[in-house]
Amino acid sequence: MRSSSARAWQELLALLCSVWLWVGAAQRTGPTPTAQSQGPKLKFRLAGYPRKHNEGRIEVFYNEEWGTICDDDFTLANAHVLCRHLGFVAATGWAHSAKYGKGIGRVWLDNVNCGGSEKSIADCRSRGWGNSDCSHEEDAGVICKDERILGYVDSNIIEAEQNQVEELRLRPVVSGARKRLPVTEGVVEVRYKEGWAQICDKGWNHKNSRVVCGMMGFPAEKKVNRNFYKLYLERQQLSYRLHSVACTGNEVHISMCPFEFYKGNATAACKGGMPAVVSCMPGPLFTTGSAPKKKQQRQGQQRVRLKGGAKAGEGRVEVLKNSEWGTVCDDRWNLLTASVVCRELGFGSAKEALTGARMGQGMGPIHMNEVQCAGLEKSLWSCPYKNITAEDCKHSEDAGVRCNIPYMGYETTIRIVGGRTPTEGRVEVKRGSKWGTVCSEGWTTKEAMVACRQLGLGYSLHAVTETWYWDASNVTEMVLSGVRCAGHEMALSHCQHHGNSLNCKKMGTHFAAGVICSETASDLLLHAPLVQETAYIEDRPLHMLYCAAEENCLSSTARNANWPYGHRRLLRFSSQIHNNGRADFRPKAGRHSWVWHECHRHYHSMDIFTHYDLLTSNGSKVAEGHKASFCLEDTECQEDVAKRYECANFGEQGITVGCWDLYRHDIDCQWIDITDVRPGNYILQVVINPNYEVAESDFTNNAMKCNCKYDGHRIWVHNCHIGDAFSEEANKRFEQYPGQLNNQIV
């Protein structure tokens, strides 16, 4: 019995093993399916407007239905993968918050996380197909490099909206105007298939012209000699694409206007009409000749400005109210309102209405909220808006703009070579028909800022004067020297230079000028009210000033004093320096080159971080002080920002975005030695990062000036402001009313 049951068990085990082996073998014989082959075939397309052929809202065809991709956790690596799907070699950027309009249907993918090298978006990590908590207000877009993959035949680019106009241009017909930039007048043409087509001008009016000029980067339109063009165009082969354009004038793109397409043979269309011709008025920055200077002076009197942008026509919107600059809250901020700002400042219509302090946070008051422009106003101040209450807005909601600007071709005369990444390298400029390097003598952050702006690569992270560690296999000759920029120019050719004559002591390849560019930069700003509140005079005994003398924090006459007897009279105050930019402020030098000061027992990461000066009303210096960066650290931060820099234990130095560094009035060298200053009216000036050693998005807000009245015993500090110098009239008003009294003499 026991033997027969044992035999039965053996037969059963043998049968089970054979079945298991057969199933295992069957599972191993077929190919392992990939993420792509498991689901249906994917298709991709670009959609939305306004856009060009290589950018748009990304849409994916999955499970027999078109849908979008959410912008949550979206990165440039995701855009690289998607652009390759579309037949482009790579991505140059991406867009969030439905920049190209809201899609319809499903949001197919959310929280996509690609490495960048995947062959399919399906190979990237995500929440899975159809699993999303996003609305179409979060549809992602991509900007692809306008270069096709070699041999790419089966294009995935399928136009979602055949009735939209993607690209538009002004084609000049006068021979002289063809070479001159910007192009301000010409035949309006739209991109069609592989070429360009015209618009019939029957019913065309100044409102249509205003929209076209805004797209081209111009603030306004002007009348054009239609008869001249009619004679010329009668001899041309024409192909019409649009007719019956009826803009209201406030549209930011012609695609938003009502119009109709021609169908069939368009060569015989537009009977009784001719191609639409437009003439535009350029803004002050883009006017040639002597006129711009007068216009720029008028622009300086305006009550709206842009701050913190890397390029012309972009930045945080700031407005002047009651003699004080402040920001605008982004509640209900849209393209119509942003376009009013852009045109008011001499640019075209708005390309983007930026929210969430995308151009850095401002300081001071927030003057406007819920601005609602119709789009035709001459100034932002003409639009309805609400005043701010304390709980309405924070500077994390500061509004910004990116405006359409005229094409100037500046990027065609500069390039960078030899770098390890596309954002760094040796600078080469085109002089005539010849490319060559730039002498690095005097090459500073300001020159590098202009170079990065001209390249379209944002801000300068470093101005490089020795480029020995970059590839030098294809180095050209030096063609430019003596470059000196103010920092605001749009091209190196606008800066001072030696012209055609070279004067450079170090002509070698490794001493050519170079740049490392970055999309973001820091922006330091002094908290002016604190200086005014904390200023006082102290008579400090000489025996307590040995360390300060060692670090050159006293005036030169202190060397002749009767040490250790006597005292020095010091104007003391606290300074609180905020980083309102979009990148941390870090010392230029690495920790290996920081200088240890035994007397004060600390490291200096920058030789001079701040200049303190006492000036006469005409700008003559009567006393000075300087502050080395004893320690750059995060003293305090905004609520939602964590401290990153601390000097203790040879820690990293810097100021995090959203944090500030506080130098108290009672620490060494936080003063100006005024022992030799006579009684009178003066200007107290504080300048942060005075030698421009570290790049910032805005150097114009690095100076603070206060009016001071000193009677030989007491000092009054009044009217502290960032940036602008005070006039003599302000000094006269101050004499009549001295304002705050700082009367302590310790």
Side-chain angles (χ1 to χ4, degrees), residues 147-165:
E147 182 180 340
R148 305 294 297 185
I149 296 173
L150 292 175
Y152 192 89
V153 179
D154 183 20
S155 175
N156 252 322
I157 301 181
I158 304 170
E159 298 300 334
E161 294 147 299
Q162 294 290 346
N163 63 339
Q164 295 302 334
V165 175

Side-chain angles (χ1 to χ4, degrees), residues 79 252 480 485 545 564 581 658:
V252 300
L480 191 64
C485 302
L545 292 172

